[in-house]
Amino acid sequence: VYKRQVSTQSTWEEGAENEEQQEEEDQEEDTSPSNPEVCLKYKTAARFATKVLEEVIEKCKPGAKVVDICQFGDDRIVELTSGVYAKQDKNKEKKVERGIAFPTCINVNNIICHYSPLSDDQTALQDGDIVRIDLGVHIDGFASLVANTIICGRDGQEPLQTKAADVIEAAHKAQEVCLRLMRPGLKNQAVTDAIQKVCEDYGVSACEGVLSHQLKRFVIDGNEVILQKRVLGDPPQKVEEVEFEAGQAWTLDIVISSGSGKLRPGDARTFVFKRLADQTFKLRMRSSREVLAYINQKFQNFPFSIRALDEKKGRFGVSECLKHDLLCPYPVLYEKPGEYVAHVKTTVLILQNSIERISSVALTPKVKSEKSIVSQELLAALERSLKLTRKKKSKKKKGG
């Protein structure tokens, strides 16, 4: 979640407060993936997220408008999720909330994240554009997020062999390695180290500030995180050490650049926001209060695009909400022009017997990098199975 990526420790603490609030509400119920019903909801959300991602990829053709693709993705999420748990809608106490956990974003070339524009945006895809697609789905607050990188107009062509191939292949290889390091007993620092080693082997850079978050019910930016790249600064960016355990759900977010990996705000306005559940204020304008009420009812704690609101009323309402810290903005971030950036994201369930990647699509487009993983440590990690073997307790011999 890129708002968190460029934030200070105080902003992470706000996320912790939201997480603790949700945990208090769920304390009498097992809301971890160890609960079969919860696991099914995560996987249902993942199935829809993957399907919508595949359909959105098909829409990314030269000449297609970015806003139309974004709207298509959001509409498909709503359409697919409305068909499950529908029988419970008539009973308010048993109604299962479901829908968009992260709005469809189409990020082109050096625009890296959070581009989900208003309806009057005229940006269109061109042949050869590098396109990063990012979206999320939730069922009853259990979210699955997914992202992938494609090159517009390269269907069925020979494998790409440029620097773009290096970053795309590196991102996918990093995901494969990191999945195998999210084993019970291992720690988040091992994943951070592995991403750095993959980047060294491919001669690319991990983007600064990228965080992979533990997922909780109605929380996509939990306080327990994996830092993609350690950055020395004043103060240095640090995260708490976390040990992976069975019964956890995570996003695994990988963003790799051919450049320095320093993401920065640009000229684009902010389109994506999220309600800060722990903040309250009585807004002055009636229209703003109506907008906030709609956000609370429709999106809960999940991010949304301002396009999902009445755009005129929504702009004014969002503006007043921001003044009083009721919303968290997700700014559009950029890499330097001319650099290649790949983004892959999946949702991971750590279960008793396996590590499961539940939302993803195959590597697209076909790439053939001249680089490869040479680190023996990484090669050994890639050989590890995603199935977890449990140690058998030795039986005591009778009379022993």
Side-chain angles (χ1 to χ4, degrees), residues 59-69 106-109 111 115 117 120-131 152:
K59 294 288 183 180
C60 292
K61 306 294 184 183
K65 289 174 62 175
V66 166
V67 65
D68 292 342
I69 302 172
I106 302 295
N107 310 295
V108 183
N109 295 329
I111 297 176
Y115 199 84
D120 59 357
D121 189 274
Q122 298 300 311
T123 305
L125 299 182
Q126 298 180 27
D127 189 56
D129 281 345
I130 295 186
V131 183
C152 185

Side-chain angles (χ1 to χ4, degrees), residues 65-72 74 115-124 269 271 305-312 315:
K65 289 174 62 175
V66 166
V67 65
D68 292 342
I69 302 172
C70 290
Q71 191 61 54
F72 170 81
D74 290 351
Y115 199 84
S116 189
L118 300 178
S119 58
D120 59 357
D121 189 274
Q122 298 300 311
T123 305
R269 60 176 297 171
F271 304 111
S305 168
I306 196 172
R307 192 182 60 257
L309 310 174
D310 176 283
E311 290 193 3
K312 186 175 181 181
R315 293 182 193 186

Side-chain angles (χ1 to χ4, degrees), residues 208 229-238 262:
E208 296 181 4
K229 182 178 182 179
R230 296 187 184 90
V231 179
L232 298 178
D234 188 18
Q237 188 177 19
K238 295 182 179 180
K262 294 182 178 180

Side-chain angles (χ1 to χ4, degrees), residues 283-296:
L283 298 170
R284 182 177 62 84
M285 296 173 60
R286 179 180 176 181
S287 60
S288 298
R289 295 196 297 272
E290 291 175 353
V291 167
L292 184 62
Y294 181 78
I295 292 170
N296 289 335

Side-chain angles (χ1 to χ4, degrees), residues 366-386:
K366 297 177 182 178
V367 298
K368 187 177 180 180
S369 174
E370 294 180 356
K371 308 288 182 61
S372 64
I373 289 179
V374 296
S375 164
Q376 291 301 311
E377 186 177 349
L378 297 180
L379 291 171
L382 286 170
E383 292 296 319
R384 304 180 77 172
S385 172
L386 293 177

Side-chain angles (χ1 to χ4, degrees), residues 68-271:
D68 292 342
I69 302 172
C70 290
Q71 191 61 54
F72 170 81
D74 290 351
D75 289 344
R76 285 294 287 148
I77 292 172
V78 173
E79 180 182 355
L80 290 170
T81 56
S82 64
V84 292
Y85 298 96
K87 292 181 179 179
Q88 298 169 229
D89 286 349
K90 295 180 180 179
N91 187 330
K92 290 185 178 180
E93 294 182 359
K94 294 183 178 181
K95 182 177 179 180
V96 174
E97 299 293 340
R98 56 211 188 270
I100 298 170
F102 202 91
T104 306
C105 296
I106 302 295
N107 310 295
V108 183
N109 295 329
N110 69 314
I111 297 176
I112 307 307
C113 58
H114 306 152
Y115 199 84
S116 189
L118 300 178
S119 58
D120 59 357
D121 189 274
Q122 298 300 311
T123 305
L125 299 182
Q126 298 180 27
D127 189 56
D129 281 345
I130 295 186
V131 183
R132 286 162 295 278
I133 305 161
D134 193 2
L135 58 88
V137 178
H138 82 94
I139 302 292
D140 198 22
F142 301 105
S144 178
L145 308 178
V146 65
N148 203 8
T149 302
I150 66 169
I151 298 183
C152 185
R154 282 198 62 87
D155 298 343
Q157 295 185 22
E158 288 296 313
L160 188 70
Q161 295 182 324
T162 65
K163 191 67 175 178
D166 294 343
V167 296
I168 293 172
E169 187 173 305
H172 282 269
K173 288 292 186 182
Q175 183 182 96
E176 294 296 330
V177 171
C178 294
L179 274 170
R180 289 157 174 79
L181 296 177
M182 297 176 73
R183 312 172 75 84
L186 297 185
K187 297 181 180 179
N188 55 345
Q189 307 295 350
V191 175
T192 303
D193 292 340
I195 295 171
Q196 182 58 38
K197 289 175 183 176
V198 171
C199 289
E200 290 172 0
D201 284 354
Y202 277 88
V204 295
S205 300
C207 289
E208 296 181 4
V210 178
L211 300 176
S212 296
H213 293 264
Q214 187 176 354
L215 298 168
K216 300 290 180 70
R217 191 182 187 192
F218 289 106
V219 177
I220 65 168
D221 50 0
N223 194 46
E224 294 185 330
V225 301
I226 302 165
L227 181 63
Q228 177 173 259
K229 182 178 182 179
R230 296 187 184 90
V231 179
L232 298 178
D234 188 18
Q237 188 177 19
K238 295 182 179 180
V239 300
E240 295 294 325
E241 186 176 78
V242 178
E243 183 175 306
F244 298 114
E245 299 176 5
Q248 292 179 341
W250 287 82
T251 56
L252 178 56
D253 207 355
I254 309 289
V255 188
I256 304 296
S257 173
S258 63
S260 66
K262 294 182 178 180
L263 306 185
R264 53 188 65 79
D267 297 331
R269 60 176 297 171
T270 299
F271 304 111

